[in-house]
Every structure is written in structure tokens, then in C-alpha cells.
Amino acid sequence: MEVERVQAIASLSVQLDNIPSEFIRSEHEQPGKTTFHGPIPEIPVIDLANKDGIVGAVTEAAKEWGLFQIVDHGIPVEVVKELQRVGSEFFELPQEEKEVYATEPATIEGYGTKLQKEDEGKKAWVDYLFHNIWPESSINYKFWPENPPNYRKANKEYAKHILEVMDEMLTSLSLGLGLEGHVFKEALGGEAIELLLKINYYPPCPRPDLALGVVAHTDMSAITLLVPNEVPGLQVFKDDHWFDAKYIPNAIIVHIGDQIEILSNGLYKSVLHRTTVNKEKVRMSWPVFCSPRDELVVGPLPQFVSEDSPAKYKTKKYKDYKYCKLNKLPQ
């Protein structure tokens, strides 16, 4: 096998009280040393059933935190549970069966272990599966597992519902800055916005105080809509501290990504976040990254650029932005 998967490393490490050195973060990153222990400010929770208050609540949370949780979002519980069930079962398959879906050089889609270049050659304690779920024209079914049998059906059903949530979030974010509701969505490509699903699989880790599942980053998408399993692990950086995000059953976690920060010329902030791991339990999450197509040009909207407020970001094709981000090059 060409790549050693973290799931395999974890099963070997379970007898030990240690992990391979390439997974041990430097001291300024270790969650055991850098997680805030004290009164934790409440990450906003927004009830989408309260139609009158949604725009104000979303706008305030997006400016203040860049991240919030939504409840009563309209996605049936059974649809989410089925998405999680088939995703979990995929990672329980024999290794050789998962390798059929391994990533290829020209794409990030597929089953993999390491995504970005890391300083000091460090590695994150995570395996993943990426594939597009919308629009139909962007889907490459070779990266959609055929086993478990209902995998494809569950993902198609979830895509249908998550599209509606995306529309509501983009509309609220537009209205909250005094724009017409359709402006952000249109600036991101309208019906051609791509939805990329990722399943993160974080195996149990003997030294969760030393390792990270995903290192500190902002998402390059416009927004990210994420459902976790019941094992907490998301941390948000705010006011110079790393705070744990509370697990809320049946909530969707909304991340503001880089493209919304760019379109708003910095009025909304892309959230810096990371993932910790658990000593006894598997943590999993299902983020959907809502992004423009590669060829779409994105820059600050003219409504937010003036003499007093010049453009803070370059206008460029999304594929060029992605290339710089993944290769840690200046934007």
C-alpha cells in the first residue's frame, strides 16, 4: 500500500501510550497546552423556525464569530442519520476496498489522508473521503462508494436538502449587509455553485493532548455546512483563545469561508478553526463546502469598495485562489 492511512496507524497505536513523532504538534499547537480552560463564551445557536430574527442573528454571528449553529433547519433527522450511517460504514470496510476510491493527482476528490503541505512535515490525525454532490454536472461517480449499498441514495437525498439550507444562509448574509437577497448567491455563480462533501474520519488517538485532527485553518469555500457525530472536537479561535464548540444534537454548524469574506470586503470574517481528537472514540464530521466553480472570478463586491474602504482582497479566478491556498502561497 502506497500511503499509510491514519486508521491503520491508530489500530497499531492503541496498545501504546504514544503516537508516531510526525503526529506530535509543536507546543504552540498542542491542544493539551493551547485549549482554553475557563468560562467559554456561547457560540451562537440560531433557530431557523424563528423567521423574524434569522437575518439579524446570522449577520451578527457571521461578523462576531464567523461560525454559528443552526437548529430547526428543515432537514429531516432520518436524512442526516442515513448520511452518517453510510459514511461510517464506508470507513469500516476492508482497507483494499476503500483504496479503490483513492484520490488521484489531478483532483482532491476521493479517499485520502494528507491534503495540504505542512510545516515541519507534520501530519494530521485524520482520513477522509471527498466527492462533489452538486450540481449533477460536477459529480464524478467513480469517487462515490458503491458499498454500503445505500451510500449514493443517502448522499443524493442529503444534497437536495442542504441546497435549501445554503440558499437560506446566503440570502440572510446578503440581506444583513443591506443587499438584495440574491446578491451573494449570484456573485458565487448562482445555480452553478458547487457542493463538495467531505467525510472526516478521526480514529481514537492515544495522545489527544499532542495531536490534531485538522490543523488551524480557514475554509476556502464561501460557506461550509457541517454535521458532526456526537463526539465533540471542533475548536474555534476567538479573542486569542481556542474554544471548544459544544455539541448540539441535530444542529448544523455553519462556517463563514474565505469567499464570503472576500465578497463582503472583510465585513464578514472567515473563521479560524481546528479539530481535536478523542482517546476512546471515533469522531466523524460531514462538511459540505459551497464554492464557486473554478473559472468564476471572485473579488470584493463594488457595493463595499470606496475611497474610504478600498478593496482588501485581489479579484481572481477561484481555481487560482485554491491553488495558492493549498500550496500556502501568498494571495
Side-chain angles (χ1 to χ4, degrees):
M1 204 177 296
E2 224 171 85
V3 183
E4 196 170 11
R5 303 301 183 191
V6 176
Q7 199 171 356
I9 294 166
S11 62
L12 293 173
S13 302
V14 81
Q15 308 303 327
L16 311 168
D17 191 31
N18 221 323
I19 53 176
S21 60
E22 63 267 28
F23 290 98
I24 298 176
R25 313 308 305 190
S26 55
E27 288 204 2
H28 70 278
E29 287 185 294
Q30 289 175 11
K33 288 189 162 70
T34 58
T35 298
F36 182 74
H37 297 289
I40 296 174
E42 283 290 315
I43 293 171
V45 179
I46 300 170
D47 186 346
L48 297 194
N50 173 21
K51 295 298 178 194
D52 293 340
I54 292 173
V55 170
V58 165
T59 305
E60 187 179 341
K63 286 180 174 180
E64 177 73 11
W65 281 87
L67 181 139
F68 49 95
Q69 303 202 51
I70 54 174
V71 294
D72 288 325
H73 42 68
I75 304 182
V77 171
E78 59 271 19
V79 170
V80 176
K81 294 288 181 217
E82 183 66 357
L83 176 85
Q84 294 177 314
R85 182 187 71 79
V86 295
S88 300
E89 286 186 13
F90 170 77
F91 279 92
E92 289 163 11
L93 294 175
Q95 194 60 42
E96 59 274 15
E97 203 170 332
K98 288 182 290 206
E99 293 297 340
V100 170
Y101 303 98
T103 52
E104 296 170 358
T107 176
I108 63 168
E109 286 192 88
Y111 171 65
T113 293
K114 195 175 181 192
L115 183 60
Q116 275 183 303
K117 289 180 177 176
E118 276 224 43
D119 302 333
E120 307 166 14
K122 294 294 181 187
K123 292 181 180 176
W125 194 264
V126 64
D127 294 328
Y128 58 77
L129 177 68
F130 267 115
H131 57 73
N132 285 329
I133 58 171
W134 185 263
E136 187 71 37
S137 58
S138 75
I139 293 174
N140 187 342
Y141 286 108
K142 72 183 280 188
F143 296 116
W144 286 47
E146 291 183 21
N147 193 16
N150 276 1
Y151 186 91
R152 296 186 176 195
K153 183 182 175 191
N155 277 265
K156 279 186 174 291
E157 185 65 19
Y158 185 69
K160 196 170 68 183
H161 289 283
I162 205 74
L163 269 170
E164 294 178 6
V165 176
M166 177 195 78
D167 281 351
E168 185 162 11
M169 291 300 99
L170 290 177
T171 299
S172 295
L173 289 165
S174 284
L175 292 170
L177 295 183
L179 305 171
E180 290 185 40
H182 61 82
V183 172
F184 271 162
K185 185 175 179 181
E186 282 187 11
L188 294 163
E191 297 307 316
I193 291 175
E194 291 189 345
L195 272 59
L196 175 67
L197 175 89
K198 184 186 185 193
I199 307 177
N200 288 306
Y201 182 92
Y202 309 100
C205 178
R207 293 299 306 271
D209 56 320
L210 301 178
L212 284 172
V214 175
V215 299
H217 68 289
T218 61
D219 290 347
M220 57 189 167
S221 56
I223 58 171
T224 303
L225 304 169
L226 179 148
V227 290
N229 70 352
E230 71 288 350
V231 180
L234 175 65
Q235 292 192 333
V236 184
F237 193 70
K238 187 176 187 295
D239 302 330
D240 294 324
H241 294 296
W242 283 107
F243 295 114
D244 288 310
K246 192 165 71 177
Y247 169 70
I248 296 175
N250 305 321
I252 290 175
I253 302 169
V254 181
H255 298 68
I256 301 300
D258 296 351
Q259 304 314 303
I260 287 289
E261 179 171 326
I262 291 166
L263 286 173
S264 71
N265 203 28
L267 293 172
Y268 290 134
K269 292 286 182 276
S270 187
V271 62
L272 187 65
H273 58 288
R274 69 182 186 185
T275 304
T276 60
V277 290
N278 191 281
K279 188 162 187 172
E280 282 92 28
K281 295 176 181 173
V282 171
R283 182 172 192 270
M284 293 185 72
S285 66
W286 286 257
V288 172
F289 303 100
C290 309
S291 308
R293 284 180 175 257
D294 277 356
E295 296 297 326
L296 194 77
V297 174
V298 181
L301 290 169
Q303 295 93 318
F304 304 125
V305 178
S306 64
E307 267 188 48
D308 296 332
S309 180
K312 297 175 182 171
Y313 311 89
K314 290 179 184 169
T315 296
K316 58 169 69 175
K317 285 184 178 178
Y318 183 58
K319 70 175 181 184
D320 297 330
Y321 186 90
K322 275 202 304 191
Y323 180 83
C324 292
K325 179 100 172 180
L326 288 170
N327 291 286
K328 297 197 168 180
L329 300 171
Q331 294 286 0

